[in-house]
Each structure stands twice: as C-alpha cells, then as structure tokens.
Amino acid sequence: MLAFGEDAFSAMLENFATTMPKPKAIVFISAHSVSSDTIHVLKTEKNRILHDFSGFPPDLYDIQYECDGDPALSDRVSQMLIKDGFKTGVDLNYPLDHGIWIPMLHLYPKGDVPVVRVSLPLSFTPAQILKMGHTLAPLREDGVMIVASGGAVHNLRELKWTHKAAEGAAWAKEFEEWLLQKLSKKDVDSLVNAEEHPAFYQSHPSQEHFLPVIFAVGAALPGDQLEVLHRGVEYFSLSMLCFALNHKTNDQTTRPLH
C-alpha cells in the first residue's frame, strides 16, 4: 500500500523530493477536502491528520504525520483568491486528509515543509477550477510548491483489489493516454472539456478526482515543461499517473508542480 511505501509509486515520490530544492511551503488541493461554492483555506500553526477511510489493515491507522502550517501564507492565499473574485472562508482546526498526508509522508517524511490546504469547490466548472490555479500560480515564483492530489482515472465501482498488477481496463488506459497527450500538447481547451471524451464518465463517475488535474494545469507558468514521473493503471480502474510541470527561473532553480 502507498502509505507503507511498498511500491514504485512511493519510491518515485521519495526520489522526486531529492531532485529539487526544498520548497518554502506547499499549497495543496485534494479530492478529499471539498466544499460547495466557497474556497476554504486552512490556517493552522501545526497540522494534524485524519484517517478518512475504513476497511484497511490496522497498522495503517497507526501511522501518524505532523507538519507545520503557515498562517501568513494562508492569509496571502485568501487575499489572492478574493482579489480574483472568489468567495473564501478560513478553516482553523481541520486535519489533513489522506490525499495530502500520504504523499507528504513520502515527499517530506520529517514533516519539515509547511502545508496550506485549499478546498476543492465541487460547484465550480472546470474553467473556474482552472482560474483558481491561475490565481495561485505566482506563489511558485516565491518558492512555494503547488500540489494537486487527484487522479487521471478513478473508478472505485470497477476496482479489483486483488488485481493490483493485472492488466488495466482498456477504457482506463485509453483515457490516461489521451490525458497525457493533451498535457504534452498544452491543449487546455480539450482538458477543460474532458467530459466530451467517450471514456470520461467511466473514468470519473464523479469529478472530484479529475478537477485537481485542471487546477494543476491552471497553476502552470510560462515555459513549464511536462515531466511524467509515473504512469499506469492498477487495480483495473485506478490510474497512478503523476506528473510535474517544471519551471526554470533566472537562477536556474527548478520549482515543480505536480
């Protein structure tokens, strides 16, 4: 399982963190922290986690992770969003969901990088989610990493828990490949209108795992280049695609987004 660090995906995250300077902080959006029409910004001094799942081995619930928040960055994020016309709220005492703390467990296991979470507004259109990313993209110029935690294909209804390494569904592999092609071509219009793809609704019976991909695209900077860190369909209907959009500043420091 990913939380235990037993596979190639977790190894990829651990290696990825070593290939770049440590960010000043991370702004996270996750498919598991959702809201309606208001963007909730987490403002904490210290972050705690929530084991927001059930039916897994007991050892999984023993895993703990802590990292700092960044109240000043939370305020800045809120101000940026308000300036661009978004309605925002502040969460003062919410834990990090597993879509955040499990990746962080492998990226920065010492908990030495602050995290600010912004909620995913499910009433937003993909175009509005894209604009959210655009709004927060300038943070990257100041050494803040932006991470979007979702999935290229996420259909739990057809998941086969005993078939992790088995052949993925044809429709799942097709949609993952289509998504990669559109990302590599920077075809934002096609990505925003992804629901027109014949396999979209089978790949995403609900949109909360796809919208973070749109947010990541929105947070791109001019000159970003796509780097595919990991790909492949596991458990028949779950894509493990992970990508970064790498940006070189004048001092040649790479500040990636994924």
Side-chain angles (χ1 to χ4, degrees), residues 79-92:
Q79 291 162 7
M80 294 170 76
L81 291 167
I82 291 169
K83 183 178 179 181
D84 268 9
F86 293 104
K87 184 166 67 172
T88 68
V90 178
D91 290 339
L92 296 174

Side-chain angles (χ1 to χ4, degrees), residues 41-165:
V41 180
L42 185 62
K43 183 178 180 180
T44 55
E45 292 285 350
K46 178 73 72 174
N47 286 310
R48 57 191 176 88
I49 69 171
L50 178 66
H51 296 83
D52 50 335
F53 40 73
S54 60
F56 290 92
D59 288 352
L60 186 58
Y61 302 90
D62 293 332
I63 296 176
Q64 295 297 323
Y65 184 82
E66 287 187 350
C67 64
D68 288 341
D70 188 333
L73 178 59
S74 297
D75 287 341
R76 184 181 176 192
V77 167
S78 294
Q79 291 162 7
M80 294 170 76
L81 291 167
I82 291 169
K83 183 178 179 181
D84 268 9
F86 293 104
K87 184 166 67 172
T88 68
V90 178
D91 290 339
L92 296 174
N93 193 32
Y94 277 71
L96 302 179
D97 68 70
H98 75 274
I100 300 174
W101 67 260
I102 291 181
M104 286 296 293
L105 193 64
H106 300 294
L107 287 167
Y108 300 105
K110 295 180 180 179
D112 52 355
V113 177
V115 169
V116 171
R117 185 268 294 147
V118 295
S119 68
L120 177 66
L122 291 183
S123 67
F124 279 22
T125 64
Q128 289 173 300
I129 298 293
L130 186 77
K131 183 182 175 183
M132 272 184 69
H134 284 325
T135 296
L136 298 181
L139 294 171
R140 295 178 55 205
E141 297 281 19
D142 294 331
V144 175
M145 184 191 293
I146 297 179
V147 179
S149 177
V153 176
H154 194 270
N155 185 331
L156 298 184
R157 300 172 188 173
E158 300 194 35
L159 207 68
K160 297 181 180 180
W161 281 111
T162 59
H163 293 72
K164 178 178 179 178

